[in-house]
Amino acid sequence: MGFWSDLFGGKKQEAKEEPASSAPATEKAQAPPEPKPEPPRPAPPPKPKPETRKQAQQQEEDEDMEGVQRLLSRKVERVLEQLGAMAARARTGEEVPSLTVTLHLAHGHSMTGEVVDYVPRESVLMALGKEGLLRSASVAYVDLTTVVAVSVGNADKLLDMAPLVRPNPTRQDVMSLMEKLPHAITEQFWPGEATLGGRPLRFEVDWVGLDDESGRRALETAMNVAGHALRALAQEQGREVLRRILTVRFIKGRDTRVAMEGDTGTVTVAPGAGDPTVSAFRKAFAAGIR
């Protein structure tokens, strides 16, 4: 039978058993301990939101207007006279700003260039711009009577012309404004308040740090803005509101703002920090008297 078993496969050979491990079962290798989870890290502080394009543009425009707002309105002839005087100084070798101007003429045309000479009540000589150049070999003789307006590029350069610029206020100018403004506001809404024994609105100034050129200019602006804000507030909420704001004090600080304490408003003035707005002052006065 052994032959036939071998021929037809016979019994299958049983699979050999794996040799038992020589190590005892109790001595199985232990897995390494799992690492302890790290404590959660504190979330980083939120990044400040980047300034929007509109806000950046508004800030840039405000900075550009800061000097322009010091300019005074003058007749066309007066402006051209100053430009001609600057051209005369340039001919003597003095370094003066170069101003590009556009003359708008009565018949609707205009010409752009640089004033090189001016004859009072007669004519203007212009070096005309050409192909993007500020000046060229072409000139124009313009009858002064035909000029109806003058546009000036880079108008901040006009600040070098004293007759075209509002002079810096003196201490006496600011003190005069300090008396006139509250009196005018009181008389507008409560006529005769002072003569009837009432308590009219009054302005006060702490001059520490404000009695210089930039300080007086900022103080003058802050007083005017505060005056407009108080008028707007009285028109909006009624004249009784002026009974609740009796004194407005002006002091120097890091930023320009308004704070109310009782019947006294304190206006912090920050020279060089930009001009305040009537809207912001009005809201601050209103919030402080609620």
Side-chain angles (χ1 to χ4, degrees):
M1 293 297 291
F3 171 78
W4 297 110
S5 298
D6 293 339
L7 180 63
F8 293 101
K11 295 181 180 179
K12 294 182 179 179
Q13 186 178 0
E14 295 181 1
K16 294 182 180 180
E17 294 181 0
E18 293 290 334
S21 174
S22 60
T26 57
E27 294 182 2
K28 292 182 178 179
Q30 296 182 358
E34 295 182 0
K36 295 181 180 180
E38 295 184 1
R41 297 181 180 178
K47 296 182 180 179
K49 293 182 179 180
E51 194 176 47
T52 64
R53 182 179 300 179
K54 185 176 181 181
Q55 290 173 329
Q57 182 180 1
Q58 182 65 43
Q59 182 178 357
E60 183 178 352
E61 291 175 355
D62 291 343
E63 292 174 355
D64 291 341
M65 287 296 293
E66 186 175 350
V68 174
Q69 288 174 341
R70 295 180 55 203
L71 296 174
L72 294 170
S73 178
R74 290 287 184 260
K75 289 185 176 181
V76 169
E77 292 86 347
R78 182 64 166 156
V79 175
L80 291 174
E81 178 184 356
Q82 292 301 311
L83 294 172
M86 182 171 286
R89 290 162 54 191
R91 286 196 297 271
T92 65
E94 182 180 348
E95 292 187 4
V96 295
S98 176
L99 288 167
T100 302
V101 302
T102 299
L103 302 186
H104 303 272
L105 308 180
H107 48 69
H109 292 177
S110 63
M111 56 181 61
T112 300
E114 190 175 327
V115 174
V116 293
D117 196 21
Y118 170 81
V119 179
R121 297 181 296 278
E122 292 187 15
S123 63
V124 181
L125 178 61
M126 291 274 293
L128 300 180
K130 183 179 180 181
E131 296 179 357
L133 300 177
L134 295 182
R135 60 172 71 90
S136 69
S138 300
V139 297
Y141 296 84
V142 185
D143 188 341
L144 189 60
T145 60
T146 66
V147 181
V148 296
V150 179
S151 298
V152 182
N154 297 325
D156 55 330
K157 295 180 181 179
L158 292 174
L159 296 174
D160 293 335
M161 303 181 185
L164 302 182
V165 181
R166 183 176 292 103
N168 290 314
T170 64
R171 178 164 178 160
Q172 186 58 43
D173 292 333
V174 177
M175 292 182 67
S176 176
L177 183 65
M178 180 178 65
E179 295 175 0
K180 290 179 180 179
L181 265 181
H183 175 75
I185 295 171
T186 301
E187 286 297 308
Q188 178 180 350
F189 296 97
W190 291 98
E193 182 74 2
T195 58
L196 295 174
R199 297 179 61 187
L201 177 68
R202 57 178 299 185
F203 284 0
E204 297 177 353
V205 175
D206 182 351
W207 288 97
V208 177
L210 292 174
D211 198 7
D212 56 16
E213 183 176 307
S214 61
R216 289 191 298 271
R217 189 162 59 241
L219 188 56
E220 179 188 47
T221 299
M223 281 189 181
N224 281 316
V225 172
H228 288 305
L230 290 171
R231 290 180 195 271
L233 189 61
Q235 291 169 348
E236 178 184 293
Q237 299 190 13
R239 66 176 188 168
E240 289 292 337
V241 75
L242 294 181
R243 298 287 199 190
R244 303 166 67 183
I245 305 176
L246 299 180
T247 305
V248 179
R249 297 180 65 247
F250 296 83
I251 64 173
K252 184 180 180 181
R254 293 185 177 180
D255 55 353
T256 303
R257 56 188 175 84
V258 173
M260 286 293 301
E261 185 175 353
D263 58 10
T264 300
T266 300
V267 177
T268 305
V269 181
D275 293 339
T277 64
V278 173
S279 175
F281 272 23
R282 179 184 58 77
K283 291 178 180 178
F285 279 124
I289 60 176
R290 287 177 182 173

